Amino acid sequence: MTLEGRRIAVRGVVQGVGFRPWVYRIARAGGISGRVSNDTAGVTIDAFGPTAALDDFLTTLSSSPPPAAHIRDLAWENIPAETAREFVIVGSRKAGDLAVSIPPDLATCSDCLAEILDPDDRRHRYPFTNCTNCGPRFTIAREVPYDRPATTMAAFLMCKACRQEYDDPSNRRFHAQPNACPVCGPKLSVLSPAGTPLDWPDPIRSAARALADGLIVAVKGLGGFHLACDATSTLSVARLRERKRREAKPLAVMVRGINEARALAEIGEAEERLLLSPERPIVLVTRRPGCGLAPEVAPGNPLVGVMLPYTPLHHLLLADAGLPLVMTSGNVSDEPIATDNSEALRRLSEIADVFLVHDREIASRCDDSVTRVVAGRPVVLRRSRGFVPRPIPVATPFERPVLACGPHLKNTFCVGLKDAAYLGPHIGDLENLETLTAFEEAVERMLQFLRVTPEIVAHDLHPGYLSTAYARSRPGVQKIGVQHHHAHVASAMAEHGLKGPVIGVAYDGTGWGEDGTSWGGEILLVRPEGFERLGTFRPIALAGGETAIREVWRIALSLLDDAFEGRPPLERFRLFENLEPRDIAVVRRMTARGVNAPAARGVGRYFDAVGALVLGRSISRYEGDVALALNGAADPAERGVYPFSIDESRSLAELDLAPMIRALAADLLAGAAAGAVSARFHNTIARATAGLVRGAARQAGHLPVVLTGGCFQNALLAERTLEALLEEEHVFLHHSVPPGDGGIALGQAFVAAAVAREEGSL
Ligand code: ZN
Ligand code: ZN
Ligand code: FE
């Protein structure tokens, strides 16, 4: 029998996910000798054995990797055979290995779950059980390399039994850095809002009972505190909303398992895969009527955000409570989520009745991620826990390290380094000092993890944003401003490896344009280093500026006045029934004189205004409130389209929706159903978009088209636009990077690198 040798290079997410121990086991089982080691880009295996055994080994490698591993690429070459006796895992702790060494947090695996449910196991009901296939990673890492002493597990000395598992290459806990058990690991306790320890024998059972009794419990999770309550109790949910000062924004719900999720909502195959994925994100799904959830969970919204337990603590709590639980971020309105015990007690004592805490520190704050299925495929809407800091490979490497500071709302930042981009965790709206501090800390930590000092700093053009101010205050770097929608399009290009040019469709609520006005309905021809604006929406007046974003009736009024040349039959619309004639007069004066009535082109503003008109809703209680309600009302069977016109007489084409507003108003006055009118509005935006894109293609040629911006979180709009663009060959939606502002930082980094490259070559 002749021996053969192969060197196999595996790329992707293969570190910190139990990959090497798994390779070790399948090599042993298959009679392969050799070694496996981590390197800068992934894992390298030198395998020796008979040809057939090596073939089998390769097949297993590529076909059934551990649950949390993602193989992006597997390549092999022949090497001289060695007569090694056995297969070994080579320790690799070289300084150069760092870029990929901290994996994202992973949901509890089925083996660990079985152990905590087994009364005879030494980890029965132990809430911090984990192994190489699962458990905390990013949220406990303080430094690199990702090794126990550099994590918040350093405070816990492994007992003999745990140490044995940790040292044994054939064990599932070989080098599982957070390995722990009831003897040696972190422990739970229950505290009163005053911080007094409560003498409750079983903290999880007691907390579950408190929840069933209607109390609000602050639960220390993986990346921060949650506020939990019984999701079926109107009283509890209403109390949580009142105390948290969150009027109407939907709250996420955690249920015990996939069957419980099915009972609450319509779960398709793609949704099921997302719910069960090791990232365990919140998945937006359509709620079933009469599903038992309190309507206060997501008032006026047919969608609900559902997730499954992702730590043993959650599994046990959900099982003991026997109820779906609201699990919302532990903060007051717009502050960052609380992470340490004293901070949580300080900030949440007015909200929670009981605190379920533990003594393992959270090193990095990381909110739950949010996803939904659009056109049959998953789209990440908020990319945080479970995804961060997984690198996003880029087709054009970063020649110099870039830090992109991200947008103002839903901020994330991004570090571009060599052949990957690293999007940071969700920070939130950079509107207060707490959030800015959280942003600065998270940036510093990521730079430290990657051991990099940025040479280029990218930022938004808006002079008033805190992220812009932060970028400008960083000394000794090249600063590059990137227009908001340019960044949106570039983020989709980076995600899909498109080098450009592309035709970008960027639809959102607002973004600082190059002319100092607010953009948001933009058709752009984008090469990464620059862009040309080929199409846009005719602007609408926002009487009162920011106030109009909340008082959406003002935008509806402007649209009607514009479409009916100042004489719309206002008295016949439900929306205007309860509005004061005086307020209407004031808004009209502002618009007529152009005083504090900036022009805006955001498609999101059209959704707000049409939603106000169709649903009779004058106020948007949170960003996207009325737009989401309009979307939720749409009847998907309705295919009608309203008229519109596109003025192509100048190089910047302009879409005029006044004909649509006239037809839509006539529909409403004739008593058409809200569902039909809403769907026709969606269909019109989709059809008009295709018109704008075709116009752009006549100027720029047929190019790949990308759809980006917060409006494309709207599944119906995205699906109808894809249909309308059917004759375009390549149309791209976002998948792994958020279409909304949470994805902007990646685009900023991509653009800044291209600008610097072009300047360098001049
Ligand atoms: Zn596990
Ligand atoms: Zn132990
Ligand atoms: Fe945006």
Side-chain angles (χ1 to χ4, degrees):
M1 191 171 57
T2 44
L3 225 50
E4 216 182 285
R6 290 178 193 174
R7 175 160 296 165
I8 305 158
V10 190
R11 301 288 170 256
V13 181
V14 287
Q15 298 187 4
V17 292
F19 198 80
R20 286 178 306 155
W22 171 74
V23 171
Y24 173 90
R25 285 194 296 277
I26 60 166
R28 289 254 172 143
I32 302 288
S33 63
R35 62 192 86 87
V36 55
S37 60
N38 279 343
D39 60 41
T40 43
V43 160
T44 301
I45 305 163
D46 286 347
F48 309 107
T51 311
L54 283 171
D55 286 344
D56 287 348
F57 179 63
L58 272 168
T59 308
T60 317
L61 268 183
S62 51
S63 62
S64 56
H70 287 268
I71 297 182
R72 200 166 75 225
D73 184 49
L74 189 150
W76 63 273
E77 57 182 355
N78 285 313
I79 53 171
E82 289 173 25
T83 45
R85 185 139 310 165
E86 49 184 18
F87 195 88
V88 293
I89 299 178
V90 182
S92 67
R93 294 283 167 212
K94 278 179 298 184
D97 291 358
L98 302 177
V100 280
S101 67
I102 300 177
D105 300 282
L106 302 166
T108 307
C109 73
S110 52
D111 292 331
C112 286
L113 186 57
E115 288 172 351
I116 62 170
L117 298 178
D118 176 0
D120 296 328
D121 194 276
R122 72 186 192 96
R123 290 190 173 85
H124 178 53
R125 286 184 66 81
Y126 182 58
F128 304 96
T129 303
N130 65 82
C131 72
T132 46
N133 294 321
C134 74
R137 300 286 189 273
F138 174 67
T139 53
I140 58 164
R142 287 196 201 278
E143 276 174 64
V144 281
Y146 173 69
D147 236 338
R148 188 162 175 118
T151 69
T152 60
M153 284 301 292
F156 304 92
L157 191 69
M158 268 186 275
C159 69
K160 211 174 143 209
C162 286
R163 184 85 227 181
Q164 255 163 21
E165 296 166 336
Y166 184 90
D167 287 335
D168 175 4
S170 69
N171 193 285
R172 206 173 87 243
R173 298 198 162 92
F174 175 67
H175 285 189
Q177 306 305 346
N179 190 24
C181 78
V183 176
C184 65
K187 287 181 178 51
L188 285 177
S189 51
V190 193
L191 307 176
S192 77
T196 318
L198 301 175
D199 189 18
W200 293 357
D202 183 327
I204 296 180
R205 277 212 182 92
S206 317
R209 202 163 314 126
L211 287 162
D213 287 344
L215 298 185
I216 296 168
V217 181
V219 182
K220 187 176 184 179
L222 213 46
F225 272 80
H226 277 130
L227 288 162
C229 76
D230 174 359
T232 65
S233 159
T234 286
L235 212 66
S236 297
V237 182
R239 193 184 303 135
L240 174 59
R241 280 199 180 280
E242 197 194 306
R243 293 188 189 168
K244 193 174 144 73
R245 280 178 263 150
R246 180 152 160 162
E247 193 187 351
K249 215 169 161 183
L251 301 168
V253 172
M254 187 181 272
V255 294
R256 196 176 169 183
I258 191 73
N259 291 331
E260 285 79 1
R262 274 203 200 92
L264 291 185
E266 286 159 31
I267 311 284
E269 230 178 278
E271 282 89 359
E272 177 171 335
R273 235 174 293 134
L274 276 174
L275 282 167
L276 291 169
S277 68
E279 293 88 4
R280 281 294 196 288
I282 295 169
V283 184
L284 297 185
V285 285
T286 307
R287 167 163 38 163
R288 285 188 195 283
C291 67
L293 283 184
E296 288 75 13
V297 166
N301 191 331
L303 299 180
V304 61
V306 174
M307 65 179 146
L308 300 186
Y310 52 84
T311 70
L313 172 60
H314 295 134
H315 279 287
L316 294 167
L317 187 64
L318 266 290
D320 288 351
L323 290 164
L325 297 178
V326 164
M327 280 283 196
T328 186
S329 40
N331 57 4
V332 185
S333 48
D334 294 325
E335 289 177 1
I337 182 169
T339 52
D340 78 48
N341 296 356
S342 55
E343 182 198 9
L345 285 166
R346 197 174 64 244
R347 287 169 46 196
L348 308 177
S349 61
E350 308 272 286
I351 305 178
D353 301 301
V354 176
F355 287 73
L356 179 60
V357 303
H358 57 73
D359 53 358
R360 187 179 70 203
E361 280 179 53
I362 296 170
S364 280
R365 180 180 283 113
C366 209
D367 289 67
D368 293 319
S369 295
V370 182
T371 60
R372 81 178 292 186
V373 173
V374 176
R377 289 185 57 192
V379 176
V380 177
L381 304 184
R382 183 208 275 169
R383 189 180 183 277
S384 209
R385 178 194 44 80
F387 295 96
V388 175
R390 188 189 295 164
I392 298 164
V394 291
T396 317
F398 293 93
E399 286 167 15
R400 292 156 66 199
V402 182
L403 167 66
C405 298
H408 181 58
L409 298 175
K410 302 187 178 66
N411 180 280
T412 61
F413 59 86
C414 180
V415 178
L417 177 64
K418 296 181 187 146
D419 61 352
Y422 300 81
L423 267 177
H426 169 77
I427 304 288
D429 300 350
L430 281 179
E431 287 187 315
N432 51 49
L433 186 66
E434 290 80 3
T435 325
L436 180 65
T437 307
F439 167 83
E440 289 173 351
E441 285 171 4
V443 167
E444 287 315 315
R445 169 132 319 149
M446 183 70 94
L447 293 174
Q448 183 198 329
F449 282 169
L450 297 170
R451 293 209 178 151
V452 64
T453 307
E455 292 175 22
I456 299 168
V457 171
H459 59 83
D460 196 272
L461 294 182
H462 197 301
Y465 286 177
L466 291 179
S467 55
T468 308
Y470 171 85
R472 294 202 170 140
S473 72
R474 268 192 90 98
V477 291
Q478 184 180 358
K479 285 144 195 151
I480 298 179
V482 181
Q483 199 276 329
H484 186 94
H485 303 96
H486 185 193
H488 266 307
V489 176
S491 132
M493 292 167 73
E495 175 183 347
H496 292 291
L498 301 169
K499 295 191 173 177
V502 304
I503 293 172
V505 177
Y507 288 177
D508 62 5
T510 190
W512 188 264
E514 288 198 320
D515 52 6
T517 71
S518 174
W519 294 6
E522 312 306 318
I523 310 295
L524 307 175
L525 171 65
V526 177
R527 301 158 293 128
E529 70 279 11
F531 73 95
E532 204 178 315
R533 201 168 170 220
L534 297 182
T536 187
F537 280 48
R538 193 159 71 84
I540 333 174
L542 297 188
E546 288 290 311
T547 311
I549 295 175
R550 190 176 140 76
E551 295 187 17
V552 287
W553 66 269
R554 293 171 178 235
I555 316 173
L557 176 63
S558 295
L559 280 183
L560 286 172
D561 275 347
D562 173 72
F564 290 89
E565 286 162 355
R567 286 189 299 278
L570 285 195
E571 67 289 350
R572 296 178 59 198
F573 292 100
R574 184 154 58 107
L575 173 64
F576 295 96
E577 272 169 18
N578 298 316
L579 291 167
E580 294 288 335
R582 205 184 43 221
D583 292 340
I584 293 175
V586 168
V587 163
R588 282 185 158 157
R589 255 198 317 277
M590 279 174 151
T591 313
R593 295 187 189 157
V595 178
N596 193 18
R601 299 170 188 273
V603 178
R605 301 284 90 87
Y606 272 93
F607 272 85
D608 285 344
V610 170
L613 206 54
V614 173
L615 305 171
R617 295 262 313 261
S618 57
I619 304 289
S620 172
R621 296 163 298 178
Y622 57 92
E623 201 216 330
D625 178 19
V626 174
L628 278 168
L630 178 69
N631 175 234
D635 171 6
E638 170 61 43
R639 310 303 297 201
V641 181
Y642 292 125
F644 56 87
S645 70
I646 296 175
D647 176 4
E648 291 186 322
S649 60
R650 279 158 296 183
S651 67
L652 177 61
E654 200 168 69
L655 169 65
D656 186 359
L657 290 172
M660 173 193 79
I661 294 295
R662 285 190 289 271
L664 185 148
D667 247 5
L668 285 176
L669 296 180
V677 178
S678 168
R680 285 173 199 156
F681 165 70
H682 280 80
N683 300 344
T684 309
I685 300 290
R687 197 70 74 79
T689 302
L692 287 166
V693 167
R694 271 193 294 274
R698 278 194 294 276
Q699 289 189 57
H702 279 273
L703 297 169
V705 177
V706 307
L707 306 181
T708 183
C711 292
F712 289 105
Q713 300 180 40
N714 176 332
L716 182 64
L717 179 68
E719 285 159 12
R720 290 286 147 91
T721 307
L722 286 177
E723 274 170 42
L725 286 169
L726 214 55
E727 72 269 28
E728 301 298 320
E729 271 168 55
H730 300 289
V731 184
F732 297 87
L733 282 178
H734 283 272
H735 292 289
S736 57
V737 174
D741 286 4
I744 284 259
L746 172 63
Q748 289 178 343
F750 189 68
V751 170
V755 169
R757 212 169 23 242
E758 199 187 52
E759 284 174 359
S761 69
L762 290 180

